[in-house]
Amino acid sequence: MGRGKLRIYLGAAPGVGKTYAMLSEGHRRVERGTDLVVGFVEHHGRRRTAVMMHGLEEVPRRELEYRGSTFTEMDVDAVLARRPAVALVDELAHTNVPGARNAKRWQDVEELLRAGIDVVSTVNIQHLESLGDVVESITGVRQRETVPDEVVRRADQIELVDMSPQALRRRMAHGNIYAPDKVDAALSNYFRPGNLTALRELALLWTADRVDEYLQQYRDEHSIRSTWQARERIVVGLTGGPEGRTLIRRAARMAAKGSGSEILAVYIARSDGLTSASPKELAVQRTLVEDLGGTFHHVIGDDIPGALLEFARGVNATQIVLGSSRRKTWQYVFGPGVGATVARDSGPDLDVHIVTHDEVAKGRGLPVARGARLGRSRLIAGWAVGVAGPVLLTLLLAGTGVTLATEAGPGFANEVLLFLFLNVLAALLGGMVPALASAAVGSLLLNYYFTPPTHTLTIADPENIVAIAIFVAVAVSVASVVDLAARRTHQAARLRAESEILSFLAGSVLRGETSLEALLERVRETFAMDTVALLERESDVAPWTCAGSVGGQGGAPPPERPEDAEVDMPVGDHMALALSGRVLPAEDRRVLAAFAAQAAVVLDRQRLAQEAEQARDLAEGNRIRTALLAAVSHDLRTPLAAIKAAVSSLRSDDVAWSAEDEAELLEGIEDGADRLDHLVGNLLDMSRLQTGTVTPLIREIDLDEVVPMALVGVPDADVALDVPEELPMVAVDPGLLERAVANIVENAVKYSPPDRPVLVSASALGDRVELRVADGGPGVPDSEKDRIFEPFQRYGDAPRGAGVGLGLAVARGFAEAMGGRLTAEDTPGGGMTMVLTLRAAPGRPPVTPGLPAQVVS
């Protein structure tokens, strides 16, 4: 069973007649005998739309309960069971009620299509997901219901339901769209003429792009290579030279003469990466093209005219704009040039415009010398051996009278070998050009001085002619091989360097490195730049901002915009890597592109980490709020209930309370109020710690001044105090320390048995003072010792009293705010000991624990 076909009626705004057009199509198909049902159509009370549903079979809807109300949605199972040939499904972007088969209606439609059922549906342009921001900027309304663009683009047919803004507003005013009480508000807000005109333009442009896709698909399927001039598409051929800006502006003026014309600027680079184009100039031209509403394309091709024509025919272009050649007159001996070749091969379907400019015949500049890869010193040595070497050898042989005519001479063959040796040595040192020069000079010297008749350029013996010819051939061959080897060596070195750099990038991804500054510094060092900056902006019209930058020792500021840098590498639509210092060759931009992509990934990873941290903070805040609600519902309600009961009893006129009873009730009210004050105080303290607003006022104080104050309110029988007076002073905030100690002691008293008082002791060790609070309770396992310091956490049941589980969390928070720490240890003999470690006051000599004068074994 094949997949069903999807037809969509696209509208610019509600009320243009999409549903009406869909129902009209349904009636036409029914009249032709097609098995058609209405899966879901909502007429919104519009009389004419409701009338169009008469005579069409409608599948009963499915009813769903949600938040006490009943809603109806399309019953996908019923439509699948009915299995019609065509189903009408309105409002493709609709969000289904929770509990439905799918979350979105377009997902319901996908099921019908997969089952082989053809679907006719409707959607407005503002519901396309990619246009959400654009529609919001136009209308001020954010569309909550959207459909992915790809779902609509996959439709087999898209029909635009168009209506002028004036006609749509008249339809609205006549009450054909909304109820009368909503007409005035709609006309003055969403349905303003400007809004409707902009939405209509969006719908027309989006549909036109889809038509282009259909046209290109048809041309590809039928192998049509000729240009169909349905609309003007102007291709601008760029060389990277300064004349490119003139060509782009000229093409823009040509496009402005016809509505709907399109500009496509293309730069064709050779596959070997060698080019004399300036990346900086290309970046400026790309920005200029985009500002004028065109697009910039980068194409690889060794045959520049062929690649340009192939690109133009591939985009169905109608015109090509080229600049007059910058070559000098003598350079035309190498060929007619790109412009003449394109004009000759363009055919009748492409118009070629040659535009004059200020750079005509000024020269294209010298290409990059391949010999430059060998180094300057080797080039100089190669030229010296290749040109001066044969001259010196000739002087040596001729000056000593050693010639071919002398019997003691080495012979012509050996002389040829000597010159060939110099030629090979020149090729090894300097490459192709010095070797060719050496071959030319050597052949002339051999002919003039050593080939009879000497001192003439004629050669009498045919064998000598063959020898010299072989000499030249061997010299050229050796030079070619050496030059090829040098190029391969250079390419291997570059590839090895690129592989090392890419390996570093891949390793940084695997290691999860998230330092943007380190990556940018690596870029700066790799390409020997002064400054490197990662720039981004929110939209095409927003200003550029710096997401991160690094600079060298020169102190040069990073570029603020991509066009201000010598090199910029775009990353997506709104991000670019900008480098200042020098212009990079084209072959380096491949590695730079990898760096730029990695920089964007690192920036996204940093932001995701920050968002994850914020999410964790929010989750922690939600957990605390949830626990707080639970605490309020129980722990705060208990003392409130006691206070309420006591007050109600005292206010009762039915009972004559004695003085003792009244005193007992008042004592209960006071106890409840104290408990409430303590609980609320802990909640406020925890809130201060969570928001980071605790600011300790550190000063020097003795522990024996603070600890007794923290024990006020605790029965004397429940606590044993052992704080020596000779302890050094501690650097703390007395108020925070008092609250921390009070919470620790209260927690210990709560869990310690009645017959075993809590021991509060203090001792000094080095530059620290430790306050220990030991109870004889059940203790806490090691696995739970850290958890008891978390907010709203209590281990086991508190046998006496109640609390919200904030005491120890507040105590640890206050201790850390003062530069101390609070930990839990096991009490020897059973129980748990809280150890509060504080800093001794500076300037006091360290205290050494007292040891017995004599150890008795």
Side-chain angles (χ1 to χ4, degrees), residues 274-317:
L274 298 176
T275 178
S276 58
S278 168
K280 169 68 175 177
E281 183 63 29
L282 284 176
V284 172
Q285 294 173 14
R286 182 187 67 241
T287 303
L288 178 60
V289 170
E290 294 173 351
D291 290 343
L292 294 174
T295 57
F296 185 90
H297 304 268
H298 195 114
V299 178
I300 303 298
D302 293 323
D303 181 11
I304 304 299
L308 180 60
L309 289 171
E310 183 71 19
F311 174 82
R313 293 192 174 100
V315 298
N316 199 28

Side-chain angles (χ1 to χ4, degrees), residues 43-356:
H43 56 75
H44 298 289
R46 299 166 188 169
R47 296 186 301 274
R48 295 185 179 181
T49 305
V51 170
M52 290 295 295
M53 296 182 63
H54 295 321
L56 298 178
E57 178 185 352
E58 186 174 2
V59 176
R61 302 182 184 182
R62 180 184 177 187
E63 294 186 354
L64 296 171
E65 296 288 338
Y66 181 65
R67 292 184 177 180
S69 300
T70 302
F71 300 88
T72 61
E73 296 289 356
M74 180 175 67
D75 193 338
V76 180
D77 292 327
V79 177
L80 292 174
R82 171 63 175 76
R83 297 198 60 81
V86 181
L88 305 184
V89 182
D90 201 10
E91 298 178 357
L92 187 64
H94 172 74
T95 300
N96 292 330
V97 175
R101 182 186 185 95
N102 296 300
K104 304 287 289 187
R105 184 164 294 164
W106 65 263
Q107 296 171 328
D108 297 338
V109 170
E110 283 293 315
E111 285 198 44
L112 300 181
L113 294 174
R114 286 195 298 268
I117 301 174
D118 293 347
V119 176
V120 183
S121 187
T122 65
V123 70
N124 282 328
I125 192 67
Q126 68 263 28
H127 294 299
L128 295 182
E129 196 169 274
S130 65
L131 299 178
D133 295 337
V134 179
V135 173
E136 183 180 10
S137 65
I138 295 172
T139 64
V141 178
R142 183 68 180 184
Q143 299 296 327
R144 300 180 181 275
E145 294 185 331
T146 60
V147 59
D149 289 43
E150 184 60 26
V151 174
V152 183
R153 287 185 178 275
R154 286 200 306 264
D156 299 275
Q157 298 180 55
I158 298 178
E159 183 171 336
L160 179 65
V161 182
D162 189 29
M163 177 176 289
S164 68
Q166 294 77 12
L168 183 57
R169 285 173 57 85
R170 284 196 301 270
R171 177 179 289 184
M172 172 72 72
H174 293 160
N176 295 331
I177 301 177
Y178 290 161
D181 57 337
K182 298 181 180 180
V183 170
D184 292 338
L187 289 175
S188 59
N189 290 284
Y190 192 87
F191 285 82
R192 293 196 301 268
N195 290 357
L196 297 178
T197 301
L199 292 174
R200 186 188 189 196
E201 182 179 15
L202 278 178
L204 290 170
L205 291 175
W206 196 93
T207 307
D209 289 339
R210 186 68 178 114
V211 172
D212 284 342
E213 294 178 10
Y214 283 134
L215 179 61
Q216 189 61 43
Q217 180 181 354
Y218 180 84
R219 286 165 53 86
D220 292 340
E221 291 175 352
H222 294 79
S223 301
I224 299 174
R225 307 301 300 164
S226 60
T227 301
W228 286 3
Q229 299 183 1
R231 59 186 292 188
E232 292 290 342
R233 283 189 175 88
I234 304 173
V235 171
V236 183
L238 302 178
T239 64
E243 79 281 359
R245 306 183 199 182
T246 302
L247 303 182
I248 293 170
R249 294 189 180 97
R250 182 70 179 89
R253 291 195 298 270
M254 295 169 57
K257 295 179 181 179
S259 178
S261 298
E262 185 178 356
I263 304 175
L264 301 93
V266 57
Y267 170 71
I268 300 175
R270 297 187 183 275
S271 59
D272 58 5
L274 298 176
T275 178
S276 58
S278 168
K280 169 68 175 177
E281 183 63 29
L282 284 176
V284 172
Q285 294 173 14
R286 182 187 67 241
T287 303
L288 178 60
V289 170
E290 294 173 351
D291 290 343
L292 294 174
T295 57
F296 185 90
H297 304 268
H298 195 114
V299 178
I300 303 298
D302 293 323
D303 181 11
I304 304 299
L308 180 60
L309 289 171
E310 183 71 19
F311 174 82
R313 293 192 174 100
V315 298
N316 199 28
T318 58
Q319 302 180 57
I320 298 178
V321 175
L322 299 174
S324 297
S325 178
R326 286 187 286 132
R327 296 193 300 174
K328 295 183 180 296
T329 303
W330 63 269
Q331 291 178 314
Y332 281 96
V333 300
F334 300 106
V338 174
T341 304
V342 171
R344 182 192 63 200
D345 299 338
S346 61
D349 54 346
L350 270 173
D351 296 335
V352 180
H353 303 267
I354 305 297
V355 179
T356 59

Side-chain angles (χ1 to χ4, degrees), residues 390-475:
V391 175
L392 293 177
L393 180 61
T394 301
L395 293 176
L396 177 63
L397 295 177
T400 57
V402 179
T403 63
L404 182 65
T406 62
E407 296 180 357
F412 184 75
N414 292 328
E415 291 165 348
V416 171
L417 291 177
L418 289 174
F419 277 92
L420 184 60
F421 169 77
L422 292 177
N423 179 263
V424 173
L425 186 59
L428 293 174
L429 292 173
M432 171 72 78
V433 179
L436 294 178
S438 176
V441 173
S443 61
L444 291 174
L445 292 176
L446 280 173
N447 186 5
Y448 192 83
Y449 287 100
F450 304 103
T451 305
T454 59
H455 304 295
T456 64
L457 294 179
T458 59
I459 302 175
D461 190 351
E463 294 182 359
N464 294 336
I465 297 176
V466 175
I468 292 177
I470 293 175
F471 166 79
V472 174
V474 171

Side-chain angles (χ1 to χ4, degrees), residues 637-650:
R637 181 179 295 176
T638 301
L640 282 176
I643 294 173
K644 174 66 175 176
V647 172
S648 298
S649 299
L650 289 174

